[in-house]
Amino acid sequence: MESVGRRGFFGALGALITEREVKTRPPYARDSTQLGTACPQCEGMCAAVCEEKIIKIGSDKLPYLDFSVNGCSDCKACLEACEPGVLNDPEQFITASVRINAAKCMSWSDVMCFSCKEPCLSDAIVFAGVFKPEIHKDACTACGYCIARCPSGAIEVVA
């Protein structure tokens, strides 16, 4: 019988604990409380002009980012198209926290994979040796490119 180390045990335990779904709001919104009042009255132009096609409009009529296909290129098209003016601060990029779920990550299971590191423009993903990637939160812009590229879905937006 194979022995499970502490890391394996706690990794498996962590995989069982599910966090609540986090909807990442579009960039450039300094005051996200305005989204709830202004966006439901809008035609969703931010989603229509998104070059990467990652801005979606939810059933609550609020915009959110879907990183399953791509990341945010910071093109500012949504900022310019926002009719209610909720997206109004070009210095306020995406407000989110991103982490690597070691229990799902192939590299944490000693499989050579650099899928998340290659698209990271801010070099926020650092590997300890060849394996064990970690996201340096001070360098991460939460653009989402690593999320779309991860073949095992190990990179997650968390609250």
Side-chain angles (χ1 to χ4, degrees), residues 104-158:
K104 292 181 179 179
C105 178
M106 295 187 326
S107 208
W108 274 88
S109 297
D110 297 335
V111 174
M112 194 155 309
C113 177
F114 297 101
S115 296
C116 61
K117 183 172 179 55
E118 292 167 357
C120 183
L121 301 175
S122 61
D123 292 326
I125 300 176
V126 178
F127 282 72
V130 179
F131 304 108
K132 318 288 185 266
E134 293 191 3
I135 298 175
H136 285 221
K137 300 200 183 311
D138 56 333
C140 180
T141 62
C143 68
Y145 281 109
C146 61
I147 296 169
R149 301 303 188 283
C150 180
S152 62
I155 304 177
E156 307 165 335
V157 178
V158 294

Side-chain angles (χ1 to χ4, degrees), residues 28 51-52 54 71-76 93 143 145:
Y28 320 120
E51 292 178 1
E52 302 295 339
I54 63 169
C72 180
S73 65
D74 194 19
C75 70
K76 297 186 175 49
F93 196 54
C143 68
Y145 281 109

Side-chain angles (χ1 to χ4, degrees), residues 62-73:
L62 298 180
Y64 68 95
L65 299 177
D66 177 4
F67 293 126
S68 64
V69 177
N70 224 341
C72 180
S73 65

